[in-house]
Amino acid sequence: MTELILMPVTLREANEFVASFHRHNGRTNRDGGKWAVACGTEKLGLVGVAIVGNPLSATLMDGWTAEVTRLCTRPEAPKNACSMLYGACWRAWRAMGGKRLITYTLTTESGASLRGAGWRVVAEVKPGGWNRPNIGRIRDWQPIYGQQKLRWEVDA
């Protein structure tokens, strides 16, 4: 079995990977990431990335909370790649003084990687978009907005 290792990656490289391999999301916008981390093997090279940024929900922007806005692996990635990336994100955020890290999954996704990395479900999120025409915030509709999600969290 080939050893899976963590690797440094730029936000640009991580977003290119997401654009190529993510099942239902594209790259983050230019303000959508603070930093990224990757994992890979000697044989396969880069197999997964995670991008961490500010929480998308304004109610969670307290300066101590960050959000894993994208986590993506190639189909041939080892099974523990996602858990490794979630764990690395939490360790890095904690080392920077962060107190809480969140992410979202669709209710149709198992969440096994998050549970494996010590995260827990803290909320069910109703489908909907982020459009707020009254304040000038309009996003292009994506099918992902119409699906039920779970918010996961890990904290100190």
Side-chain angles (χ1 to χ4, degrees):
M1 181 167 193
T2 307
E3 183 183 0
L4 188 61
I5 59 166
L6 290 172
M7 305 164 58
V9 67
T10 66
L11 283 169
R12 177 173 285 158
E13 291 166 330
N15 268 310
E16 288 171 4
F17 187 92
V18 167
S20 297
F21 295 105
H22 202 285
R23 290 188 310 263
H24 54 76
N25 270 325
R27 60 182 66 240
T28 61
N29 67 33
R30 65 188 176 104
D31 298 326
K34 288 179 178 280
W35 48 272
V37 64
C39 65
T41 70
E42 188 174 312
K43 179 180 176 186
L44 298 172
L46 184 68
V47 297
V49 300
I51 300 173
V52 177
N54 289 321
L56 293 177
S57 171
T59 60
L60 298 172
M61 289 185 194
D62 59 8
W64 300 102
T65 303
E67 179 177 337
V68 177
T69 58
R70 296 288 188 280
L71 189 127
C72 177
T73 59
R74 290 183 7 204
E76 62 274 17
K79 287 188 177 196
N80 62 333
C82 292
S83 292
M84 176 184 251
L85 289 167
Y86 280 124
C89 289
W90 173 234
R91 289 188 306 276
W93 182 238
R94 223 177 44 210
M96 288 185 251
K99 304 287 185 205
R100 176 171 59 165
L101 192 57
I102 62 169
T103 198
Y104 296 85
T105 62
L106 300 174
T107 56
T108 56
E109 297 172 307
S110 76
S113 297
L114 286 154
R115 282 191 303 279
W119 295 54
R120 66 190 182 288
V121 173
V122 295
E124 204 167 306
V125 182
K126 293 179 184 175
W130 295 89
N131 281 347
R132 301 293 182 269
N134 59 327
I135 61 169
R137 186 174 68 203
I138 299 176
R139 283 186 161 172
D140 292 333
W141 175 258
Q142 295 179 29
I144 191 80
Y145 295 158
Q147 297 185 44
Q148 189 85 15
K149 296 173 192 67
L150 298 174
R151 185 170 70 230
W152 295 77
E153 175 178 301
V154 63
D155 56 19

